[in-house]
Amino acid sequence: MPSTVSRGDANLAIQRVVTVASCPDKQLPDVHLLRQRFKQFGMNLVAGASEDKLHKKILMRPETWLGMISYWFYAKCSGIRVWMNPWLAKAAFLIEHVGHFRDVPHILVCIKGGLACDWERQQLQPTGVVAREYATEYILYLKLCQNVEELQHFLESDAPLQECERLA
């Protein structure tokens, strides 16, 4: 049974939820416009920008010279950057939240970008940590898009599941 969500005066039946999990910084404004236009998908956004509040004001970074050198060495050796764990936490939270409150397919969208987008996409693919931990518990699908225009076309087509890969 589809979930119903109230947004202002309109009650919308949610048939599937779309979350943009990965997107290049420069395309985020266009994704925000799509969120406003396609409310029937209860769209969420995990993707962030290096200049957003989370990255600039909330995430803690070393402030001393020794801390910065230690962090640089740790990041160089481990490959783990300061934004990676918060991204995983945001993705996990949204998957759990959507899964607990809406028994509908949840489509995770990745828009092609640079190295950060590649890493995020890898976490969502069947062998990635997010898919490995959540795909058997929730109704998850992965949709890969080349750009925001492809995402828009996907949404205009009512986000068909046959264009997505089922994560299971």
Side-chain angles (χ1 to χ4, degrees):
M1 172 181 237
S3 301
T4 302
V5 64
S6 177
R7 298 204 188 234
D9 293 332
N11 284 327
L12 302 171
I14 304 289
Q15 301 290 326
R16 57 187 56 86
V17 173
V18 173
T19 294
V20 177
S22 183
C23 176
D25 289 13
K26 64 182 176 265
Q27 294 186 23
L28 283 171
D30 295 329
V31 171
H32 284 289
L33 293 174
L34 292 178
R35 287 178 75 194
Q36 293 302 312
R37 182 172 166 203
F38 294 98
K39 292 181 179 181
Q40 69 268 30
F41 298 114
M43 285 181 70
N44 301 295
L45 187 59
V46 171
S50 59
E51 298 296 320
D52 67 12
K53 186 181 284 192
L54 174 68
H55 291 83
K56 286 296 184 188
K57 301 203 181 249
I58 296 173
L59 294 180
M60 300 171 91
R61 290 180 172 80
E63 295 179 11
T64 66
W65 180 83
L66 181 59
M68 286 187 264
I69 295 294
S70 299
Y71 174 74
W72 177 86
F73 185 73
Y74 171 76
K76 208 60 157 157
C77 292
S78 68
I80 298 173
R81 304 293 184 258
V82 71
W83 58 269
M84 291 175 168
N85 281 324
W87 181 90
L88 287 167
K90 285 169 45 177
F93 170 78
L94 272 172
I95 289 168
E96 290 177 10
H97 181 76
V98 168
H100 288 302
F101 292 102
R102 297 188 178 129
D103 189 25
V104 297
H106 186 177
I107 302 168
L108 304 168
V109 175
C110 294
I111 299 173
K112 187 176 181 171
L115 294 175
C117 291
D118 291 345
W119 181 86
E120 292 165 347
R121 186 186 66 252
Q122 289 169 2
Q123 307 317 303
L124 298 170
Q125 289 179 326
T127 57
V129 65
V130 174
R132 227 179 26 246
E133 295 301 320
Y134 290 105
T136 57
E137 274 181 79
Y138 303 103
I139 310 166
L140 297 178
Y141 288 83
L142 179 61
K143 171 65 175 164
L144 304 177
C145 294
Q146 293 297 310
N147 49 47
V148 174
E149 291 77 20
E150 186 178 341
L151 173 59
Q152 179 176 339
H153 177 72
F154 176 71
L155 297 170
E156 287 170 345
S157 302
D158 202 29
L161 294 177
Q162 60 267 30
E163 290 186 21
C164 306
E165 176 182 5
R166 174 74 159 101
L167 300 176

